[in-house]
Amino acid sequence: MKTLSFAIAGSLCLTLAQAQQNPGSNHGNKFEQLGTLLSDPNIFRTASGAPGSMYWQQKADYVINVEIDEVNQILKGSEVITYTNNSPDPLTYLWVQLDENEHADGSESKKFNQSSLSERMSIDQLKTLVPEKKGFGVNIHKVTDGSNKPLKYTINYTMMRIDLPTALKPGAKMNLHIDWDYKITNRIEQGGRGGYEYFAKDDNYLYTIAQWFPRMAVYSDFQGWQNKQFTGRGEFALVFGDYKVNITVPADHIVGATGECQNYGQVLNATQLNRWKQAQSSQEPIEIVSLADAQKAMGEKSKAKKTWVYEAKNVRDFAFVSSRRLVWDALKVNEGVPGNQPMAMSYYGPEAYPLYRKYSTKVVAHTLKTYSKFSIPYPYPVAVSVEAANGMEYPMICFNYGRADEDGTYSEAVKYGMIGVIIHEVGHNFFPMIVNSDERQWTWMDEGLNTFLQFLTEQEWDKDFPSRRGPAHKITDYMRLPKDQLEPIMTNSENIVQFGPNAYAKPATALNILRETVMGRELFDYAFKEYARRWEFKHPTPADFFRTMEDASAVDLDWFWRGWFFTTDAVEIELANVTQYRMTGADPGKTQKDQKEAFDRDLNTITRKRNMEENMAFLVEKDTSLLDFYNKWDRFAVKPENEANYQAFYASLNAKEKDIFDGKISFYELKFKNNGGLVMPLIIEWTFADGSKEVDNIPAYIWRLNENEVTKVFAKRKEVVSIQLDPWRETADIDEDNNAWPRKSQPSRFEIFQGQGRGVRGQSSESNPMKEARKR
């Protein structure tokens, strides 16, 4: 402990050293405004982050006829696109997306990924390295205008440019007629978003048809045509429009899709139609197509056909599921979605029945309610969850995983994984299906924002929900990786090494830290809702999000965006030193006593000690003529005038000054070092001798004048026994070993990851506690 010297004077003061400023070295970087890192505001996008007075976006409406050929595994379609040019620019060509060309023979995505050999490889691993012509990819049979005149087109991998004979003027519309087909891929073997899954045990197929038809690319004010190739990672950049889709399938198939079915009366039997009507008022999910219905259809296999008609308004895409092996249940969401009562629905096969029948539709309803609370009210009439051994999202419909073992049991990991993926994929209805960001360029605006809301929704489902992404301490393993394995969040989706941690987990964690630690829930929630409100059914950019969050909260967040989104810096703040100070200015008698003890300690060397132990005869004792005043002087005697001055001074102090003077208040000088580069608030927990605790929250702005090292003094009335930095692990500090005083011994952590082969995603392949309990 250090002490503060005491002197009787007219006032009591502490002299503190001032921090030295050194521009270009230890400050003036991390707290600078983003400036040129953001696009300039203009008439289309304001400096506040809102759409500008001249904001515009294109529109694409579709009428599509599509048929599944279950015998030959061919998807055949024809479509009419009505394209409206709302831009101020004349367009001489249009870009159309052909995502299914990702699977085409010789596609780019099969060439540009690295590959390598090892001494031990399986036949399956080697087979993937042998080129094979499979005939996948889109076959374009016709491209004409509204008068059926052929239009010249050029296909570049997953993009098709349609050249116009005359420019499409601002405000004008035109019709495109496109006929096409493609060989449907086995999604389990080939990968990708859409395709089929084959079930050998009952010789049936589950079709999840997604990213399947030629779709208009986005033409926007901030980048022109978004015609970046689809290589399987960056997912979406699409135009809003209205859809009418006629889906022809085997007559015993059940079809779920984007939008509302217009002809249930023609495609459902009387019993199923009556169940559908019951679901409109039931408090629990009703099976429109029961497990018994699905099992019967699986064995009979109709040769006839039916056409399901679906319509959807103001959506950016369309997907559907079709199979005879589907159970279908539904529930109306009567509350929690302001101004709307959508239908929550689920489609799933027999192997998913034990999980999906119990959870899926209720998870859908919970997701709609929670996301509506934190962003915008869900505007669409339906929301659908389909079990398809994957995780992928489209407007009003998504494909998820979660299958039980053959005996109906399932592991806890499968259960919570299923609930989490349903929340995540249903949540994508909000981001990016409604708040229409461009994942092909900025994955985090879609996945990161959605993963953040997924975390909030999981936590409202169950206080013990084992959320993987969102809590700050769960991103630290990623953030402490070597720099050559990292990239900023603001990185194009195709250039990210570790996609999940970078595009999903890190932005979700950053937003949770903003909400809980930097801004507070009230300010954050208002600003986040304002962003969603401003940009629903529009095309936002990162700058629009950053600006809106600041504009609606009055919190300067440029330092946060800069550190978390534009760099690979990590949070590693060290509690480097703790020094305790306390006043020792007591009454003169105690002061003199303390001084005498210090004087004696200074005299008492080892030599003096041993001389006295030997009874040495000192000269001044043998020759007393050498003694004088100072040999007899009591240098520590209290003078009457000192006592009087002290009493007068003490009487002049107020209560707080007396507490300081008497040592009842201790001062603790804490030194912090920023070892990781990311500046963050300082959350300091004090533990006192009586067992009580206290937390001080210091804003990140403490680092403005020195981004590398800061000190802060705290006055405490209780005896401090320990200090903990970031006690709730809310800042994502990658090294917690240096966050405590006194230092704590941290046990080593060993994490063992053992890869387990799985036939399909989301299905356990070994025993589980539920199974073992049944055996007992």
Side-chain angles (χ1 to χ4, degrees):
M1 178 190 297
K2 292 186 178 180
T3 60
L4 298 178
S5 61
F6 160 68
I8 297 176
S11 63
L12 189 65
C13 64
L14 303 179
T15 303
L16 303 178
Q18 299 298 313
Q20 297 297 312
Q21 295 187 22
N22 190 359
S25 176
N26 67 352
H27 70 286
N29 297 307
K30 300 184 186 302
F31 286 90
E32 291 302 309
Q33 298 298 289
L34 290 178
T36 56
L37 290 177
L38 299 184
S39 57
D40 293 335
N42 50 50
I43 58 175
F44 308 121
R45 295 164 192 275
T46 70
S48 70
S53 60
M54 301 293 287
Y55 176 83
W56 56 267
Q57 63 188 39
Q58 309 291 63
K59 190 171 190 287
D61 301 321
Y62 297 80
V63 176
I64 307 175
N65 296 304
V66 61
E67 181 175 350
I68 293 177
D69 180 346
E70 190 175 34
V71 175
N72 298 302
Q73 302 305 333
I74 299 292
L75 190 73
K76 181 180 180 180
S78 65
E79 64 189 83
V80 177
I81 306 173
T82 302
Y83 187 71
T84 304
N85 181 16
N86 291 318
S87 81
D89 309 319
L91 302 177
T92 57
Y93 51 79
L94 308 176
W95 281 101
V96 175
Q97 300 185 34
L98 305 176
D99 286 8
E100 193 59 32
N101 276 351
E102 174 205 3
H103 297 293
D105 298 331
S107 66
E108 287 187 15
S109 58
K110 296 178 180 178
K111 297 178 180 179
F112 57 55
N113 288 332
Q114 298 185 60
S115 57
S116 61
L117 295 171
S118 61
E119 293 183 358
R120 296 178 62 86
M121 296 186 72
S122 67
I123 291 295
D124 288 340
Q125 289 174 318
L126 291 172
K127 279 170 55 180
T128 63
L129 301 175
V130 180
E132 183 179 359
K133 292 186 178 298
K134 296 186 176 181
F136 295 134
V138 181
N139 303 303
I140 300 294
H141 300 294
K142 171 185 172 182
V143 179
T144 66
D145 64 12
S147 301
N148 208 32
K149 293 180 180 179
L151 294 172
K152 181 182 178 182
Y153 63 89
T154 301
I155 296 176
N156 176 15
Y157 187 27
T158 62
M159 288 289 169
M160 178 170 70
R161 189 188 70 238
I162 300 176
D163 299 330
L164 305 181
T166 59
L168 183 63
K169 296 180 180 180
K173 297 183 179 182
M174 75 169 296
N175 288 340
L176 297 173
H177 294 247
I178 305 176
D179 291 353
W180 51 269
D181 64 32
Y182 66 79
K183 182 180 178 182
I184 305 173
T185 59
N186 183 324
R187 180 172 47 79
I188 303 301
E189 294 181 357
Q190 301 296 323
R193 301 298 194 265
Y196 67 78
E197 181 181 355
Y198 177 64
F199 294 83
K201 63 182 180 180
D202 52 73
D203 189 30
N204 278 297
Y205 295 85
L206 170 69
Y207 295 93
T208 52
I209 306 302
Q211 296 175 228
W212 52 282
F213 60 98
R215 304 173 298 171
M216 294 303 304
V218 169
Y219 183 77
S220 68
D221 63 278
F222 61 90
Q223 67 180 353
W225 284 106
Q226 167 52 292
N227 53 11
K228 295 184 182 298
Q229 299 290 346
F230 175 63
T231 63
R233 176 172 281 186
E235 291 168 353
F236 296 109
L238 296 167
V239 185
F240 284 110
D242 300 333
Y243 286 72
K244 180 178 181 180
V245 183
N246 304 304
I247 306 168
T248 301
V249 297
D252 53 0
H253 273 216
I254 296 298
V255 175
T258 297
E260 293 181 289
C261 183
Q262 304 298 303
N263 65 334
Y264 280 149
Q266 288 73 53
V267 295
L268 300 180
N269 62 40
T271 300
Q272 293 166 344
L273 187 60
N274 184 57
R275 292 169 182 163
W276 168 252
K277 294 176 181 178
Q278 291 176 15
Q280 310 302 306
S281 58
S282 174
Q283 300 299 311
E284 290 290 324
I286 296 291
E287 289 183 20
I288 291 92
V289 177
S290 69
L291 180 60
D293 294 338
Q295 290 171 332
K296 180 180 179 182
M298 287 162 60
E300 295 181 351
K301 297 183 182 178
S302 172
K303 300 297 184 181
K305 296 180 181 180
K306 283 184 180 178
T307 297
W308 297 61
V309 180
Y310 274 87
E311 292 186 3
K313 302 294 185 183
N314 205 16
V315 295
R316 49 174 272 172
D317 201 359
F318 190 100
F320 66 95
V321 60
S322 180
S323 180
R324 62 177 55 86
R325 60 189 325 279
L326 288 176
V327 178
W328 167 25
D329 69 42
L331 171 71
K332 183 179 283 292
V333 183
N334 290 311
E335 59 182 10
V337 182
N340 194 12
Q341 291 184 325
M343 291 297 296
M345 305 195 294
S346 298
Y347 298 80
Y348 44 93
E351 51 282 319
Y353 189 89
L355 278 159
Y356 268 63
R357 182 64 182 90
K358 182 177 181 65
Y359 291 112
S360 179
T361 296
K362 290 186 177 181
V363 176
V364 174
H366 173 69
T367 303
L368 298 183
K369 294 176 184 179
T370 309
Y371 275 64
S372 294
K373 179 174 71 173
F374 286 113
S375 59
I376 51 176
Y378 184 69
Y380 291 134
V382 299
V384 175
S385 165
V386 180
E387 197 292 311
N390 71 345
M392 195 58 207
E393 72 279 359
Y394 302 92
M396 299 187 232
I397 188 170
C398 61
F399 306 113
N400 312 303
Y401 62 76
R403 296 176 182 176
D405 296 345
E406 290 187 4
D407 62 359
T409 66
Y410 47 84
S411 69
E412 191 175 27
V414 169
K415 169 191 169 182
Y416 283 113
M418 175 205 69
I419 294 173
V421 76
I422 294 174
I423 291 172
H424 182 90
E425 306 305 346
V426 172
H428 271 306
N429 278 290
F430 296 80
F431 303 90
M433 301 304 162
I434 298 170
V435 182
N436 191 6
S437 55
D438 175 8
E439 184 177 347
R440 196 152 294 179
Q441 179 62 47
W442 307 117
T443 302
W444 70 268
M445 289 196 74
D446 170 351
E447 301 295 356
L449 269 62
N450 184 50
T451 302
F452 163 66
L453 288 179
Q454 174 193 347
F455 170 65
L456 298 185
T457 306
E458 289 172 348
Q459 294 303 300
E460 292 202 13
W461 175 272
D462 182 347
K463 65 178 176 58
D464 297 323
F465 198 100
S467 298
R468 296 188 303 115
R469 292 166 172 166
H473 69 277
K474 294 194 174 184
I475 196 62
T476 56
D477 285 344
Y478 171 68
M479 295 184 72
R480 68 166 62 94
L481 288 175
K483 295 299 183 183
D484 63 0
Q485 298 180 43
L486 300 173
E487 56 282 312
I489 291 174
M490 287 290 289
T491 297
N492 179 268
S493 61
E494 310 298 338
N495 303 330
I496 298 171
V497 175
Q498 299 205 38
F499 200 61
N502 175 279
Y504 292 67
K506 186 179 177 184
T509 301
L511 294 176
N512 194 44
I513 291 173
L514 265 187
R515 182 174 188 256
E516 299 287 9
T517 304
V518 176
M519 299 175 69
R521 291 187 174 189
E522 182 178 3
L523 288 175
F524 179 93
D525 290 351
Y526 181 88
F528 192 84
K529 287 172 70 72
E530 179 65 9
Y531 166 71
R533 185 195 65 78
R534 285 178 173 182
W535 290 99
E536 60 180 327
F537 300 110
K538 296 182 178 69
H539 302 287
T541 68
D544 300 319
F545 176 69
F546 296 150
R547 286 171 169 149
T548 296
M549 291 300 292
E550 295 192 23
D551 182 70
S553 67
V555 180
D556 181 3
L557 296 171
D558 283 33
W559 64 272
F560 190 88
W561 309 131
R562 182 183 293 277
W564 275 90
F565 286 77
F566 287 89
T567 77
T568 59
D569 289 346
V571 181
E572 206 287 82
I573 299 175
E574 175 188 359
L575 177 55
N577 189 57
V578 177
T579 306
Q580 181 184 2
Y581 297 84
R582 188 165 59 201
M583 265 294 181
T584 59
D587 63 80
K590 185 178 185 308
T591 300
Q592 295 298 82
K593 179 182 178 182
D594 292 341
Q595 291 179 359
K596 184 178 187 309
E597 290 176 353
F599 182 83
D600 290 342
R601 282 196 304 272
D602 185 61
L603 283 178
N604 195 25
T605 65
I606 187 63
T607 301
R608 181 175 182 274
K609 176 176 179 295
R610 289 176 178 169
N611 286 344
M612 295 181 67
E613 288 174 349
E614 293 176 359
N615 295 316
M616 179 176 289
F618 300 101
L619 183 59
V620 294
E621 294 175 349
K622 291 189 290 184
D623 184 357
T624 57
S625 66
L626 297 175
L627 299 175
D628 68 356
F629 169 80
Y630 292 103
N631 294 101
K632 301 176 182 179
W633 174 52
D634 184 359
R635 69 183 69 234
F636 302 109
V638 177
K639 298 178 181 178
E641 60 269 24
N642 291 344
E643 180 67 26
N645 290 339
Y646 164 76
Q647 294 296 338
F649 169 76
Y650 191 79
S652 70
L653 300 178
N654 60 34
K656 182 181 290 187
E657 291 170 338
K658 287 180 179 177
D659 286 347
I660 295 173
F661 188 79
D662 292 340
K664 294 179 180 179
I665 297 178
S666 292
F667 296 88
Y668 294 84
E669 182 187 83
L670 276 57
K671 178 184 289 185
F672 302 93
K673 290 184 178 180
N674 179 10
N675 299 325
L678 260 183
V679 292
M680 286 294 285
L682 302 175
I683 301 98
I684 306 158
E685 180 185 70
W686 306 81
T687 300
F688 302 105
D690 63 4
S692 62
K693 295 179 182 290
E694 181 177 274
V695 175
D696 285 307
N697 291 277
I698 309 301
Y701 299 112
I702 192 174
W703 299 97
R704 281 179 299 177
L705 300 183
N706 189 332
E707 297 160 358
N708 304 319
E709 182 177 296
V710 296
T711 60
K712 183 75 174 176
V713 176
F714 301 85
K716 300 299 176 185
R717 290 181 174 272
K718 296 181 181 180
E719 180 185 353
V720 175
V721 295
S722 66
I723 303 171
Q724 180 69 46
L725 182 63
D726 194 15
W728 287 96
R729 310 172 81 188
E730 57 187 290
T731 67
D733 195 314
I734 66 172
D735 184 2
E736 298 179 73
D737 290 351
N738 58 20
N739 285 3
W741 174 87
R743 287 284 188 256
K744 295 179 181 178
S745 176
Q746 298 288 346
S748 299
R749 296 180 301 162
F750 296 91
E751 296 179 342
I752 301 174
F753 297 93
Q754 181 177 1
Q756 297 179 353
R758 251 180 209 180
V760 294
R761 186 180 179 191
Q763 182 174 14
S764 58
S765 59
E766 297 181 357
S767 187
N768 60 69
M770 183 183 291
K771 191 189 304 288
E772 296 302 319
R774 287 188 179 181
K775 290 179 180 179
R776 293 192 294 269

